[in-house]
């Protein structure tokens, strides 16, 4: 499901493009601003049934049989073609649609063309990432090359290959291949750096992989070395900050792992340890007073029972779980979480000149 970038700016009406084994569907969702039952503020609530429910007539030219399963929809990122949307299917085709508004009939979607290439026929395209702007910013393509194609994209299939393709007036042309990824069971998704210099994607092995302009792998220490507990499913690279975030599908994996930093030109740099405001306890420390005192927590907790709980929570870890963070880094994160809670509690107590109960991360109350 993708909201239309320009037609969904009004919160009273959202235009959604939905895809799946049913094909392609365009929905106009009207919403009302209603007060919350608790009386605390208000929220936008969709009207049921949906208004303007419209089948787009999905299908390739000349197709008489049932439509292939739609796997991905992406709106164009070029400023002069925001009404264009690309649709991928399970047979290796990419379709271009245009979504327009007509006062007489409302919002409609019309198919413009289908892109196909011999190399991709029969290969399901599970995800599509449009990268035309990144290639232009990085001077990887010229204005002449841009005029010959509608858009450029990274396509992701379950065949252990990432492809950079150009969509040229009905032709899906593979311009570059990136190898070394494992993706046969899961549809992993990657992206390109804002300057077009790097492609980054997760792998079923739990690794975060990078490729350079030439399509060859970029190895640590030039880039962060990451291996999470489960398949690394998704990666995003901020267009405004030197920030890369990824996530894996495993109950033991971190919900989100982010890397920040880098040079002004946006090139990934080796991960650097960030100095934290509180000194961490030494590894293997078992002395309750020394560990909490060094972290600055002991003075904020005046109960022996709560100090014992804090010591246990900070130092507990499971060696059987794979993680990109070391035991020391995990301990520091827990210390800072607890210190922020205690600092906030102290501020609230000072503001209200009274006592309140503080809930620790484990659910117990701290005085």
């Amino acid at each position: 499901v993708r909201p239309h970038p320009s037609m969904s700016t009004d919160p009273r009406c959202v235009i959604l493009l939905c895809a799946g084994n049913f094909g392609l569907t365009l929905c106009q969702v009207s919403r009302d601003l209603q007060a919350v039952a608790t009386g605390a503020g208000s929220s936008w609530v969709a009207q049921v049934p949906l208004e303007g429910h419209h089948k787009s007539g999905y299908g390739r030219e000349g197709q008489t049989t049932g439509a292939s399963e739609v796997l991905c929809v992406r709106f164009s990122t070029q400023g002069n073609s925001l009404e264009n949307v690309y649709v991928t299917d399970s047979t290796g085709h990419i379709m271009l649609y245009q979504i327009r508004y007509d006062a007489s009939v409302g919002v409609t979607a019309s198919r413009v063309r289908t892109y196909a290439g011999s190399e991709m026929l029969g290969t399901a395209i599970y995800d599509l990432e449009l990268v035309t702007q990144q290639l232009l910013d990085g001077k990887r393509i010229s204005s002449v090359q841009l005029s010959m194609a509608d858009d450029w994209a990274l396509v992701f299939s379950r065949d252990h290959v990432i492809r950079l393709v150009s969509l040229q007036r009905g032709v899906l042309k593979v311009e570059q291949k990136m190898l070394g990824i494992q993706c046969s069971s899961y549809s992993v998704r990657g992206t390109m750096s804002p300057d077009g210099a790097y492609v980054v994607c997760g792998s079923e092995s739990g690794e975060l992989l990078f490729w350079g302009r030439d399509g060859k792998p970029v190895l640590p220490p030039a880039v962060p070395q990451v291996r999470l507990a489960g398949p690394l499913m998704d990666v995003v690279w901020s267009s405004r900050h030197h920030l890369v975030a990824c996530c894996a599908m495993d109950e033991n994996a971190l919900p989100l792992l982010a890397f920040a930093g880098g040079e002004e030109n946006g090139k990934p740099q080796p991960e650097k340890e960030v100095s934290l405001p509180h000194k961490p306890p030494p590894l293997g420390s078992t002395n309750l007073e020394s560990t909490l005192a060094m972290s600055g927590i002991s003075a904020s907790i005046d109960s022996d029972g709560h100090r014992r709980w804090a010591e246990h929570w900070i130092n507990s870890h499971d060696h059987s779980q794979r993680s990109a963070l070391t035991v020391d880094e995990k301990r520091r994160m827990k210390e800072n979480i607890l210190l922020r809670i205690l600092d906030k509690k102290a501020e609230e107590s000072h503001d209200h000149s009274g006592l309140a109960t503080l809930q620790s991360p484990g659910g117990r109350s701290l005085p």
Side-chain angles (χ1 to χ4, degrees):
V1 178
R2 280 291 186 276
H4 193 287
S6 60
M7 294 184 184
S8 300
T9 55
D10 187 346
R12 296 170 298 179
C13 181
V14 179
I15 305 300
L16 299 177
L17 191 62
C18 310
N21 53 14
F22 51 81
L24 191 64
T25 301
L26 193 62
C27 297
Q28 179 175 314
V29 183
S30 297
R31 305 194 300 174
D32 295 324
L33 186 62
Q34 299 180 4
V36 179
T38 59
S42 58
S43 63
W44 290 97
V45 179
Q47 296 178 4
V48 180
L50 301 180
E51 297 180 0
H53 194 269
H54 172 67
K55 289 288 185 180
S56 67
Y58 162 76
R60 299 187 299 277
E61 292 83 351
Q63 179 173 307
T64 58
T65 59
S68 303
E69 181 180 4
V70 176
L71 299 176
C72 177
V73 292
R74 290 290 184 271
F75 282 91
S76 176
T77 57
Q78 297 189 59
N80 60 351
S81 58
L82 293 178
E83 74 280 1
N84 290 355
V85 61
Y86 295 96
V87 179
T88 71
D89 69 7
S90 56
T91 60
H93 295 84
I94 298 178
M95 279 67 65
L96 171 61
Y97 283 81
Q98 283 189 342
I99 298 182
R100 300 182 182 277
Y101 175 76
D102 189 301
S104 60
V105 296
V107 180
T108 61
S110 59
R111 179 163 39 82
V112 178
R113 63 175 62 94
T114 298
Y115 304 92
S118 58
E119 184 174 336
M120 296 298 298
L121 285 179
T123 302
I125 301 176
Y126 288 93
D127 197 74
L128 175 77
E129 187 77 11
L130 295 169
V131 294
T132 305
Q133 191 60 51
Q134 292 97 308
L135 294 175
L136 284 172
D137 292 343
K139 296 180 173 55
R140 292 184 59 176
I141 59 175
S142 64
S143 57
V144 174
Q145 289 175 299
L146 178 63
S147 65
M148 297 173 59
D150 294 323
D151 255 311
W152 294 62
L154 292 173
V155 296
F156 302 89
S157 302
R158 296 182 186 175
D159 61 353
H160 312 291
V161 181
I162 300 174
R163 297 174 177 86
L164 175 63
V165 304
S166 59
L167 306 177
Q168 302 181 7
R169 309 299 191 270
V171 177
L172 195 163
K173 182 181 179 182
V174 177
E175 304 285 353
Q176 191 177 73
K177 296 181 183 179
M178 283 142 281
L179 308 176
I181 188 175
Q182 296 180 28
C183 55
S184 58
S185 301
Y186 298 94
S187 52
V188 298
R189 180 167 58 186
T191 188
M192 181 176 284
S193 62
D195 63 355
Y198 296 89
V199 170
V200 57
C201 186
S203 174
E204 290 181 2
S205 62
E207 295 175 286
L208 184 65
L209 304 176
F210 291 79
W211 294 265
R213 289 173 174 264
D214 57 1
K216 296 181 180 179
V218 181
L219 304 176
V223 294
Q225 183 172 8
V226 179
R227 191 182 186 96
L228 299 182
L232 207 158
M233 300 296 294
D234 201 0
V235 184
V236 293
W237 196 313
S238 173
S239 59
R240 299 183 180 180
H241 308 283
H242 297 297
L243 178 68
V244 176
C246 58
C247 62
M249 189 177 67
D250 189 274
E251 62 181 5
N252 296 323
L254 295 171
L256 181 70
L257 182 61
F259 297 88
E263 297 178 348
E264 291 300 321
N265 59 9
K267 293 182 179 180
Q269 296 296 310
E271 183 185 5
K272 297 181 180 180
E273 183 177 353
V274 179
S275 59
L276 299 175
H278 305 284
K279 185 177 180 180
L283 288 174
S285 174
T286 58
N287 184 285
L288 174 64
E289 291 300 325
S290 63
T291 299
L292 294 183
M294 292 179 68
S295 63
I297 297 176
S298 181
S300 303
I301 305 178
D302 56 7
S303 168
D304 289 339
H306 292 146
R307 280 197 293 270
R308 283 193 294 271
W309 173 87
E311 173 74 9
H312 174 74
W313 180 67
I314 289 173
N315 290 296
S316 61
H317 55 272
D318 188 350
H319 292 287
S320 64
Q321 298 180 4
R322 291 187 297 172
S323 174
L325 300 179
T326 66
V327 173
D328 198 17
E329 289 170 335
K330 291 180 180 179
R331 181 182 289 112
R332 296 184 194 185
M333 291 173 62
K334 292 181 179 180
E335 287 174 359
N336 280 273
I337 291 172
L338 190 54
L339 282 165
R340 291 190 187 101
I341 295 175
L342 292 170
D343 290 342
K344 185 176 180 181
K345 173 59 181 175
E347 292 176 1
E348 292 176 352
S349 299
H350 181 269
D351 292 340
H352 294 82
S353 300
L355 296 177
T357 301
L358 172 65
Q359 291 293 326
S360 67
R364 298 189 180 184
S365 299
L366 300 180

